[in-house]
Structure formats: structure tokens, C-alpha cells
Amino acid sequence: MIKELSELIKLAKEKTVRNIAVAAAEDEDVLIAVKSAVEEKIVTPILIGDASKILRIARNVNFKLGNTEVIDCNNNVDSARIAVEMVKTGRADILMKGRVKTSDLLRAVLDKQIGLSAGRLISHIAFFQSPYYHKIFCVTDVAMNIAPTLEDKVQIINNAVAACHQIGVKTPKVAVVAAVETVNPKMEATLHAAALKEMCLEGKIKGCIIDGPLAVDIAFSKEAAIHKGVDSKVAGDCDIVIVPDIEAGNMFYKALNFLGGANSAAIIVGASAPIVLTSRSDNDKSKLLSIALATLMQN
């Protein structure tokens, strides 16, 4: 089990160098991250986008492209489709979002003809390292599934558990969070949490320990759990946080990054290949860590 997100890079360097197709690559933070990933010898990039802008930014950040393949495309939607097709046909192993809207990238990913569907629910996972918590943890889903059903959340948990297993967390502790830690028939998140906990106890969800509903303070603090009289194996030691919906998750994600001093690595899993999908406001360090994480999810 890794202790710091920086260890993702070390683990990635032990893998075969992967080809990564970057859609709309004309973004400074993206190119800095890709440059660092190339220097660490974990990826070989294929840059799709406005070639003149890509070359200019590359010069500005001292990214010597050399024999790097650059495909000129001035339309972000088309750029996303080209990048997805490259992964689909095996020319690239990983897809990465550049200066393109998430919705445009995902539209290409989900396209029935050229897309990367693997017959499973696709979900977003983000690993965080916070100065206020004793270990790395995963938050899901903050960018893909808007209002997941109970069945969706089962698959979201399975995706996150599989990712945790890949980085050495053998039996991740899953906190299904809500505004309260008791079941309230008027609050769907609490009903889902109780059902997911029961499904885990019945062996319908494997490879993890699930508890919920848990308020966020209880999920991350044993002291809060003791104070509130909550007895839980997950409380204060969670590895995975399952959020109620995309709004709660997205706000939690950005609060951790911009107010909580956390570092993050974020990808989409459940497709036929890993997809590096960070917020456009995430810095180059986060994007580099996300690239490293994606290489570890590649079989």
C-alpha cells in the first residue's frame, strides 16, 4: 500500500512505457505534466490539437518534442474523437483530457462506434493525499455519474475497490457518506448507504468493508465517531468515500484541492482503457500524478 501519491510515479516507472493520446493538448499545465511523465519514462505522448499552439507552448515550457507525434486539429470535438479512436484501435493505451470540455470528451468515449465502452458503468475516481488525514483515500464519483441509482453505486464501488486493489489496498474500507449517520426515509443517500452496507454483509459486494450512512466527519475522524456514539470499523479510517451525487462530490473534490491543501490524482475507470480526466483548474502536479495512476490501471 502506498503512503504518498508521489509513489504512484515510482510504481508507474516499473511498468512498460505506455502510449498516451492527449485530446486538445494545447494547454500549458497538461503539456508540463506530459513533459514530466516523458522525463520519468512512463509514457510516450501523441498530441492532438492546434499544432501551432502546441508547439508554442512546448517551447515556452522547454518541452523538446523531438519525434513526438503531433496531429493538427483545430476543433476540440474532433480532437477528442481522434484521441479516442487512437485508443480504440490500439495506437494508444491511455486517453487524456486536455483543453476540451469533459462533456465533449465523454461523448466520444461513449460513442457506440468509436467509443471505449467495455459493457460496464464508467465512473470517475480521485485519490487524495491530505495533510489532515493519515493515509491516501479515494473519492467517487465526482465527474461522471450525475445522480447514480443504487445499482449504479454498486458498480461505482466495484470500480473504486478494483482501483484500490491495484495500488495495494487489499481490503479498502468504504464510507457511504450522507448529511447524517442515521437512516432517514426522506434522504435517499441514507437509504442507499444502508442498502449498500447490507449488500456487502451478504457478500453481494466483495473485496471491501462498507459502512453507512456516515457523515463526513465520522468517516475521517474516530474522535467524531466516539463523540457521536458511532461504532464502526470504517469510521476514522476510510479508504473510499462514496458521495451521494455529482454535485456533492464535485464540491468535495474542489474543496479538498483549493481549501484543504490536498494533492490529487484522478482518472475514469470502467472503460476499455484508463482515461486521465482532471479539472481544467487542477495543476500540472495533479495531472502528472493522474497520468501515473492511469498507467497502473492498464492491464
Side-chain angles (χ1 to χ4, degrees), residues 89-136:
T89 58
R91 286 191 63 194
D93 307 297
I94 299 167
L95 174 66
M96 182 174 184
K97 173 192 169 187
R99 189 174 285 276
V100 58
K101 291 180 180 177
T102 296
S103 57
D104 289 335
L105 184 70
L106 294 180
R107 193 173 296 112
V109 168
L110 298 173
D111 186 280
K112 291 182 179 179
Q113 290 185 328
I114 61 124
L116 304 177
S117 174
R120 306 189 301 273
L121 183 77
I122 294 174
S123 59
H124 183 273
I125 60 171
F127 283 94
F128 286 90
Q129 181 181 344
S130 168
Y132 307 108
Y133 193 56
H134 63 280
K135 62 180 176 179
I136 290 165

Side-chain angles (χ1 to χ4, degrees), residues 2-297:
I2 66 172
K3 303 296 184 182
E4 298 182 355
L5 284 181
S6 60
E7 292 178 53
L8 292 173
I9 298 171
K10 179 182 177 181
L11 292 174
K13 291 173 74 169
E14 296 172 359
K15 300 284 186 178
T16 303
V17 176
R18 306 294 187 180
N19 293 330
I20 184 168
V22 186
E26 60 273 16
D27 178 278
E28 184 169 303
D29 282 338
V30 167
L31 287 178
I32 292 173
V34 172
K35 171 179 178 283
S36 298
V38 170
E39 290 172 347
E40 295 287 357
K41 298 181 180 179
I42 60 177
V43 296
T44 298
I46 304 169
L47 306 177
I48 304 108
D50 187 320
S52 62
K53 291 181 180 178
I54 292 171
L55 294 173
R56 186 179 70 248
I57 295 169
R59 284 195 298 271
N60 290 343
V61 301
N62 198 31
F63 184 3
K64 294 178 174 59
L65 296 178
N67 295 324
T68 299
E69 185 174 1
V70 178
I71 298 174
D72 189 25
C73 180
N74 295 325
N75 182 290
N76 286 351
V77 173
D78 291 340
S79 176
R81 290 184 65 85
I82 292 169
V84 168
E85 284 185 297
M86 286 196 152
V87 177
K88 179 77 171 182
T89 58
R91 286 191 63 194
D93 307 297
I94 299 167
L95 174 66
M96 182 174 184
K97 173 192 169 187
R99 189 174 285 276
V100 58
K101 291 180 180 177
T102 296
S103 57
D104 289 335
L105 184 70
L106 294 180
R107 193 173 296 112
V109 168
L110 298 173
D111 186 280
K112 291 182 179 179
Q113 290 185 328
I114 61 124
L116 304 177
S117 174
R120 306 189 301 273
L121 183 77
I122 294 174
S123 59
H124 183 273
I125 60 171
F127 283 94
F128 286 90
Q129 181 181 344
S130 168
Y132 307 108
Y133 193 56
H134 63 280
K135 62 180 176 179
I136 290 165
F137 61 95
C138 170
V139 179
T140 185
D141 178 341
V142 311
M144 184 72 195
N145 295 284
I146 296 172
T149 64
L150 177 61
E151 292 74 21
D152 291 340
K153 288 179 181 176
V154 171
Q155 295 184 70
I156 287 169
I157 289 173
N158 286 336
N159 285 346
V161 168
C164 282
H165 289 169
Q166 288 284 80
I167 64 168
V169 185
K170 294 181 179 179
T171 309
K173 297 176 181 177
V174 181
V176 188
V177 298
V180 295
E181 53 275 354
T182 54
V183 176
N184 184 332
K186 295 182 179 180
M187 302 173 74
E188 185 180 62
T190 68
L191 297 174
H192 283 181
L196 292 165
K197 176 181 179 180
E198 187 63 26
M199 292 169 77
C200 185
L201 291 172
E202 292 173 351
K204 295 177 181 177
I205 303 175
K206 303 180 184 296
C208 62
I209 299 169
I210 299 176
D211 201 1
L214 296 177
V216 170
D217 56 346
I218 292 176
F220 287 96
S221 169
K222 289 186 183 295
E223 290 76 12
I226 292 169
H227 183 73
K228 291 185 175 182
V230 176
D231 183 18
S232 168
K233 293 180 180 179
V234 175
D237 198 38
C238 67
D239 298 290
I240 299 172
V241 177
I242 306 299
V243 297
D245 55 35
I246 198 170
E247 292 177 320
N250 197 272
M251 287 185 276
F252 189 32
Y253 176 103
K254 288 175 180 173
L256 283 165
N257 275 336
F258 291 95
L259 296 174
N263 295 322
S264 62
I267 61 172
I268 285 180
V269 291
S272 59
I275 303 166
V276 178
L277 195 151
T278 56
S279 171
R280 280 172 286 179
S281 59
D282 286 342
N283 60 31
D284 60 277
K285 180 179 181 181
S286 174
K287 290 176 167 64
L288 170 61
L289 292 170
S290 301
I291 293 170
L293 177 62
T295 68
L296 300 178
M297 299 299 126

